[in-house]
Amino acid sequence: MHYIFKGTGNASAKTLLLLHGTGGNEHDLVPLAKNFGDDINILSLRGNVNENGMPRFFKRLGMGIFDEKDLEFRTHEMVHFLKEIAEKEGFDSTKIIALGYSNGANIAGATLMLHPDFLAGAILYRPMQPFRKMENVKSKSHTPLFFSSGKNDPTVKVESTNEYLEILNNNNLDVTFHEINTGHNLTQEDVELSVNWFKNNF
């Protein structure tokens, strides 16, 4: 996978994993990362899937309809890649906090389900439930999770968000939820709320 890594030189530092939205790339979220402090590593990935020239982290069958077999494969692939990159770049793979927007938030959510307790935490902006049938995979470490949705988001239904939140809570994830008065776009309010959450948890 194409990636950008900006290390602190501290082997015990936490790593913020940046996962872009559809059509983005590994450069998109790097400017946002500076809000989280200068004592963390930054690792930004580019999705391996190409949809009509737009990078994504997994295939979809239509708008809001995921190719779940590909999502499962790509999630395992990403976690394997992260473990390899941790050795290569010299960071602690047990201290990765994912930050994903839209498509990136969805593969981060899939990681929380398929590899519970791999991530030390996650920030999900505008996520959707990754799998129609979600397994009961209780988090042993009660992984802290920031989740923000757009009140007027045409992509994600409120009912679906509520169902997803219930599943996450039932799987022992420590969820902090915010509904932002906006659509699917990312706002400064999302960033400020997630930075405060990050400082409180890490």
Side-chain angles (χ1 to χ4, degrees):
M1 299 180 82
H2 290 275
Y3 72 95
I4 294 171
F5 180 73
K6 296 184 177 183
T8 62
N10 178 0
S12 64
K14 297 173 182 64
T15 298
L16 193 63
L17 170 65
L18 306 178
L19 305 167
H20 63 78
T22 298
N25 60 40
E26 68 274 27
H27 299 281
D28 279 18
L29 297 173
V30 172
L32 184 152
K34 67 174 186 262
N35 293 281
F36 293 85
D38 54 10
D39 58 344
I40 54 172
N41 303 316
I42 303 300
L43 175 62
S44 188
L45 304 185
R46 185 197 304 176
N48 263 351
V49 171
N50 187 308
E51 182 185 271
N52 301 319
M54 298 185 298
R56 279 179 56 85
F57 285 100
F58 58 90
K59 296 176 185 175
R60 58 182 171 183
L61 305 174
M63 188 62 71
I65 305 170
F66 302 156
D67 182 332
E68 295 192 14
K69 286 187 178 180
D70 188 65
L71 173 55
E72 183 174 353
F73 171 78
R74 299 292 176 182
T75 302
H76 293 316
E77 178 185 56
M78 184 180 76
V79 169
H80 177 74
F81 179 77
L82 290 171
K83 290 176 180 177
E84 285 189 335
I85 289 298
E87 286 194 22
K88 178 182 175 182
E89 300 288 358
F91 66 86
D92 190 339
S93 64
T94 68
K95 295 181 178 180
I96 298 174
I97 298 103
L99 181 154
Y101 167 62
S102 193
N103 181 238
N106 296 333
I107 197 167
T111 303
L112 292 168
M113 293 296 106
L114 298 177
H115 296 268
D117 301 307
F118 172 72
L119 294 172
I123 296 168
L124 308 183
Y125 301 128
R126 311 295 180 270
M128 291 177 65
Q129 186 172 312
F131 301 105
R132 286 187 295 274
K133 184 177 180 182
M134 300 281 277
E135 299 297 327
N136 192 8
V137 294
K138 308 285 186 187
S139 169
K140 294 175 184 175
S141 55
H142 295 266
T143 305
L145 173 63
F146 176 93
F147 184 128
S148 64
S149 67
K151 188 175 183 180
N152 306 307
D153 191 338
T155 310
V156 190
K157 294 179 180 177
V158 174
E159 304 79 37
S160 300
T161 294
N162 291 337
E163 183 180 337
Y164 190 17
L165 284 166
E166 184 177 355
I167 291 167
L168 293 170
N169 281 305
N170 286 341
N171 279 286
N172 292 343
L173 293 158
D174 183 9
V175 183
T176 299
F177 173 68
H178 292 279
E179 187 178 58
I180 311 296
N181 190 24
T182 188
H184 196 66
N185 56 302
L186 192 58
T187 71
Q188 187 60 32
E189 186 177 359
D190 288 287
V191 176
E192 290 172 359
L193 288 168
S194 58
V195 167
N196 288 334
W197 170 89
F198 185 87
K199 289 177 179 176
N200 289 335
N201 284 276
F202 299 101

